[in-house]
């Protein structure tokens, strides 16, 4: 069995400021139920976050009928470096989850790897290729398993797209079209404290950069991006409302492009938190994938129209106990299982290099983010990778 240290306790960990439980807490429940996880420690910046976290844990324990062995590390005050001692004080079989604002991923992952911990980081891995490469070297040197939570790789739709593209049914790829957007609430409320240090492409668009690399095996060649500052700037948040990006890719002798249209100023009453769709167009065919409309719509007096994605992270009641299932959960469960294999069955971390979104397997997503940010600062200039 493994122990888990979680850094961060916000929206993605526990559904802070929402009705839900986030994605990481439900994954810890399933990992505990499957007897992969023994103890859990949470370290956040503020001790005051404990109350809301404890309420969420009490509820998930009750509905799932799974008892978590957990401890809250920072008992008093605030300390943004508390994660360091928390990591140092963990035992040999403890693995680390990093779910904090994006600009902190590098320093936290670096420290965890230096302390010889296997680690999973929510996307984006880092904001620069230099940082990502130094983490890759460190993981290799210390023989550690280091992965990014690119959970869309576990979505059955994307796994099917992988098969279709690799069977060559589409012929040579010509272009890919991605639309991905979220509600205004996200930059205005959920990420209020750190929104100005990110943008919609590096926070959201990056998922499909990884998916394009995953399903095609192609490498990005050059990038151009432009954006608009309007609604958010007028509401006191200095970040782009929307970013449009073109990435040119190469696989063997085939060159193709992808267009990304991303925003986070959709109305708060859209029927799902995200609009997301992707199209692949090749010389012999096309794929159309609406990843918002999964065929399950709920209409109620209280909530209006909701398009439910049953594949991401949902509660399912089976014989009176709630189980958490979906590709969001699977990404973390896979990490727990892999770490367990490393500890109990001496599997080498190297084994996972080409089959999981390891740091080295995620490097293209970082180089594209960095290039997009450069292009945005340079009036949409093409940036070569
Ligand atoms: N919300 C989502 O749907 C979602 C989905 C996938 C990935 N993510 C990623 O997860 C990460 C966190 O997002 P979130 O939605 O949970 O944000 P959030 O603002 O709700 O939570 C951030 C958490 O990080 C903690 N934190 C900040 N500085 C810290 C420090 N120095 N030490 C310890 N803890 C610290 C905060 O206390 C808070 O608990 C981001 O990288 C985001 O891109 C979010």
């Amino acid at each position: 069995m493994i122990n888990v240290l979680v850094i961060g306790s916000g929206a993605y960990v526990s559904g802070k400021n929402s009705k839900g439980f986030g994605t990481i807490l439900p994954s810890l429940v399933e990992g505990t139920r499957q007897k992969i996880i023994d103890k859990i420690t949470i370290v956040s910046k503020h001790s005051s976050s404990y109350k809301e976290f404890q309420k969420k844990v009490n509820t998930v324990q009750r509905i799932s009928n799974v008892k978590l062995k957990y401890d809250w590390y920072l008992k008093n005050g605030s300390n943004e470096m508390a994660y360091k001692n928390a990591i140092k004080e963990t035992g040999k079989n403890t693995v680390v989850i990093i779910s904090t604002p994006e600009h902190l991923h590098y320093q936290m992952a670096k420290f965890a790897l230096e302390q010889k911990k296997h680690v999973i980081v929510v996307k984006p891995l880092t904001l620069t290729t230099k940082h990502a490469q130094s983490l890759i070297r460190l993981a290799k040197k210390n023989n550690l398993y280091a992965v990014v939570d690119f959970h869309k790789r576990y979505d059955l739709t994307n796994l099917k797209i992988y098969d279709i593209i690799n069977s060559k049914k589409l012929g040579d790829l010509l272009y890919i079209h991605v639309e991905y957007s979220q509600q205004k609430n996200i930059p205005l409320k959920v990420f209020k404290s750190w929104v100005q240090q990110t943008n919609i492409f590096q926070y959201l668009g990056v998922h499909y950069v990884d998916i394009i690399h995953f399903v095609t095996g192609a490498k990005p060649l050059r990038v151009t991006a432009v954006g608009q500052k309007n609604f958010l700037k007028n509401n006191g948040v200095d970040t782009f409302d929307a970013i449009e990006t073109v990435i040119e890719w190469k696989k063997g002798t085939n060159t193709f492009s992808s267009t990304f249209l991303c925003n986070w100023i959709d109305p708060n009453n859209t029927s799902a938190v995200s609009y997301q769709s992707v199209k692949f167009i090749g010389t012999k065919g096309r794929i159309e994938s609406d990843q918002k409309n999964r065929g399950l719509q709920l209409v109620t007096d209280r909530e209006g129209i909701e398009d439910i994605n049953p594949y991401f992270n949902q509660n399912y009641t089976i014989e009176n106990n709630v189980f958490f299932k979906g590709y969001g959960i699977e990404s973390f469960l896979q990490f727990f299982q892999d770490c367990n294999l490393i500890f109990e069955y001496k599997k080498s971390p190297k084994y996972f290099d080409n089959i999981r979104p390891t740091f080295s397997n995620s490097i293209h997503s970082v180089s594209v983010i960095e290039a997009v940010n450069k292009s945005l600062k340079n009036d949409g200039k093409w940036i070569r990778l």
Side-chain angles (χ1 to χ4, degrees):
M1 283 174 103
I2 61 168
N3 297 327
V4 181
L5 173 73
V6 184
I7 310 180
S9 64
Y12 204 52
V13 172
S14 64
K16 192 173 176 183
N17 296 325
S18 79
K19 284 180 289 180
F21 308 110
T23 298
I24 295 176
L25 178 56
S27 307
L28 295 168
V29 167
E30 294 308 328
T32 303
R33 192 196 315 266
Q34 293 181 19
K35 302 204 184 317
I36 308 168
I37 296 177
D38 185 24
K39 290 188 201 122
I40 298 157
T41 307
I42 314 289
V43 58
S44 202
K45 192 162 75 159
H46 306 292
S47 55
S48 56
S49 310
Y50 181 53
K51 258 195 183 156
E52 186 178 351
F53 181 79
Q54 195 184 26
K55 268 194 205 153
K56 298 278 187 188
V57 176
N58 289 345
T59 313
V60 287
Q61 291 192 132
R62 182 174 43 77
I63 62 176
S64 65
N65 206 12
V66 172
K67 180 109 186 65
L68 300 181
K69 282 194 218 165
Y70 78 98
D71 188 28
W72 183 267
Y73 186 79
L74 189 65
K75 302 284 193 305
N76 297 301
S78 295
N79 180 357
E80 53 190 39
M81 292 298 153
Y83 75 90
K84 291 197 169 179
N85 281 338
I87 292 175
K88 277 189 191 163
E89 288 169 24
T90 58
K92 200 167 155 278
N93 275 21
T94 302
V95 303
V96 176
I97 297 177
I98 298 172
S99 181
T100 53
E102 295 156 11
H103 55 283
L104 300 175
H105 293 176
Y106 170 65
Q107 67 184 62
M108 291 179 167
K110 181 169 178 278
F111 192 79
L113 293 171
E114 282 167 352
Q115 298 298 313
K116 304 209 167 39
K117 299 294 173 196
H118 303 297
V119 65
I120 184 166
V121 182
V122 296
K123 52 79 218 165
L125 170 56
T126 59
L127 307 184
T128 67
T129 316
K130 197 172 145 208
H131 280 168
Q133 275 164 345
S134 88
L135 294 180
I136 292 166
R137 280 195 298 274
L138 193 52
K140 200 170 166 196
K141 183 176 138 219
N142 288 346
N143 193 28
L144 293 164
Y145 182 42
V147 277
V148 183
D149 166 42
F150 274 131
H151 46 249
K152 283 187 187 296
R153 290 199 190 191
Y154 298 87
D155 181 344
L156 291 178
T157 307
N158 293 331
L159 285 168
K160 200 68 227 162
I161 291 174
Y162 176 99
D163 277 348
I164 296 167
I165 286 177
N166 285 285
S167 71
K168 310 264 187 275
K169 280 184 190 156
L170 296 192
D172 287 335
L173 277 176
L174 299 173
Y175 67 91
I176 297 163
H177 179 90
V178 174
E179 281 198 61
Y180 201 4
S181 60
Q182 289 193 334
Q183 301 169 346
K184 294 184 164 72
N185 250 341
I186 305 284
L188 290 180
K189 287 209 175 124
V190 181
F191 297 156
K192 205 173 169 199
S193 62
W194 53 279
V195 66
Q196 277 165 208
Q197 280 156 290
T198 182
N199 65 48
I200 185 58
F201 187 85
Q202 77 177 41
Y203 155 66
L204 205 64
V206 65
H207 267 302
Y208 282 99
V209 177
D210 180 66
I211 281 302
I212 291 174
H213 167 65
F214 173 61
V215 301
T216 65
K219 288 183 181 164
L221 288 179
R222 57 179 188 145
V223 170
T224 172
V226 292
Q228 298 75 35
K229 290 189 177 180
N230 183 336
F231 171 82
L232 290 172
K233 196 158 185 203
N234 290 333
N235 282 274
V237 180
D238 187 13
T239 186
F240 292 100
D241 291 359
I243 295 175
E244 302 81 43
T245 307
V246 178
I247 307 165
E248 200 169 63
W249 301 80
K250 191 171 173 68
K251 170 77 190 292
T253 53
N254 185 210
T255 307
F256 61 91
S257 71
S258 61
T259 307
F260 282 63
L261 308 173
C262 298
N263 86 61
W264 49 2
I265 44 78
D266 277 345
N268 290 330
N269 55 4
T270 54
S271 58
V273 174
S274 304
Y275 270 81
Q276 41 186 341
S277 66
V278 59
K279 301 174 187 201
F280 292 79
I281 283 78
T283 51
K284 293 184 184 164
R286 64 189 289 145
I287 295 172
E288 295 272 337
S289 179
D290 182 343
Q291 305 205 340
K292 165 178 176 271
N293 183 355
R294 305 285 186 132
L296 180 61
Q297 191 171 76
L298 173 66
V299 189
T300 57
D301 286 336
R302 214 168 78 177
E303 306 287 347
I305 303 172
E306 294 170 79
D307 282 314
I308 296 170
N309 177 357
Y311 308 110
F312 172 51
N313 165 15
Q314 295 286 337
N315 305 2
Y316 296 89
T317 305
I318 302 168
E319 294 171 356
N320 296 326
N321 293 327
V322 167
F323 286 71
F324 301 99
K325 290 169 183 276
Y327 56 83
I329 309 290
E330 218 177 304
S331 165
F332 287 97
L333 275 181
Q334 189 69 67
F335 173 70
F336 303 147
Q337 283 159 2
D338 292 346
C339 290
N340 204 35
L341 281 179
I342 292 169
F343 288 133
E344 304 235 338
Y345 299 94
K346 309 292 168 225
K347 198 98 189 159
S348 163
K350 241 201 224 152
Y351 170 79
F352 302 104
D353 257 2
N354 294 319
I355 56 174
R356 304 274 189 264
T358 55
F359 285 8
S360 57
N361 206 288
S362 305
I363 190 76
H364 299 308
S365 65
V366 178
S367 58
V368 169
I369 292 176
E370 191 177 20
V372 164
N373 290 338
K374 263 191 206 155
S375 184
L376 285 169
K377 281 193 190 134
N378 288 284
D379 200 24
K381 185 178 163 196
W382 278 100
I383 307 293
R384 280 212 165 267
L385 301 173

